[in-house]
Short mmCIF file of all heavy atoms in Angstrom, two decimals:
data_model
loop_
_atom_site.label_atom_id
_atom_site.label_comp_id
_atom_site.label_asym_id
_atom_site.label_seq_id
_atom_site.Cartn_x
_atom_site.Cartn_y
_atom_site.Cartn_z
N ILE A 8 -74.79 -76.89 58.77
CA ILE A 8 -74.54 -75.89 59.84
C ILE A 8 -75.66 -76.01 60.90
O ILE A 8 -76.77 -76.32 60.60
CB ILE A 8 -74.49 -74.47 59.24
CG1 ILE A 8 -75.84 -74.09 58.59
CG2 ILE A 8 -73.37 -74.35 58.26
CD1 ILE A 8 -75.85 -72.68 58.12
N LYS A 79 -84.45 -60.16 69.08
CA LYS A 79 -83.10 -60.78 68.82
C LYS A 79 -82.14 -59.67 68.38
O LYS A 79 -80.98 -59.68 68.81
CB LYS A 79 -83.23 -61.82 67.71
CG LYS A 79 -81.92 -62.43 67.30
CD LYS A 79 -81.17 -63.05 68.48
CE LYS A 79 -79.84 -63.68 68.05
NZ LYS A 79 -79.07 -64.17 69.17
N ASN A 136 -121.28 -57.91 56.45
CA ASN A 136 -121.83 -58.52 57.65
C ASN A 136 -120.73 -59.27 58.33
O ASN A 136 -119.64 -59.49 57.83
CB ASN A 136 -123.00 -59.36 57.32
CG ASN A 136 -122.70 -60.50 56.37
OD1 ASN A 136 -121.96 -61.43 56.72
ND2 ASN A 136 -123.18 -60.42 55.12
N HIS A 175 -77.22 -59.52 58.10
CA HIS A 175 -78.60 -58.89 58.36
C HIS A 175 -78.73 -58.94 59.90
O HIS A 175 -77.95 -59.53 60.64
CB HIS A 175 -79.69 -59.65 57.69
CG HIS A 175 -80.81 -58.80 57.15
ND1 HIS A 175 -81.61 -58.04 58.01
CD2 HIS A 175 -81.24 -58.56 55.94
CE1 HIS A 175 -82.47 -57.39 57.26
NE2 HIS A 175 -82.27 -57.62 56.00
N GLU A 179 -83.67 -62.98 57.39
CA GLU A 179 -84.43 -62.68 56.21
C GLU A 179 -84.17 -63.63 55.10
O GLU A 179 -83.11 -64.15 54.94
CB GLU A 179 -84.01 -61.22 55.75
CG GLU A 179 -84.86 -60.60 54.73
CD GLU A 179 -84.40 -60.92 53.30
OE1 GLU A 179 -83.18 -61.11 53.15
OE2 GLU A 179 -85.25 -61.00 52.43
N SER A 182 -81.26 -63.52 52.59
CA SER A 182 -79.98 -63.69 53.25
C SER A 182 -79.74 -65.15 53.63
O SER A 182 -78.65 -65.68 53.61
CB SER A 182 -79.91 -62.82 54.51
OG SER A 182 -79.99 -61.46 54.12
N PHE A 199 -90.14 -64.59 43.61
CA PHE A 199 -90.62 -63.58 42.63
C PHE A 199 -92.11 -63.75 42.29
O PHE A 199 -92.88 -62.81 42.28
CB PHE A 199 -89.79 -63.61 41.36
CG PHE A 199 -90.09 -62.53 40.38
CD1 PHE A 199 -89.52 -61.29 40.52
CD2 PHE A 199 -91.01 -62.76 39.32
CE1 PHE A 199 -89.86 -60.24 39.60
CE2 PHE A 199 -91.31 -61.76 38.44
CZ PHE A 199 -90.75 -60.47 38.58
#
Side-chain angles (χ1 to χ4, degrees):
I8 61 175
K79 177 59 182 175
N136 60 68
H175 217 295
E179 191 270 331
S182 300
F199 186 83

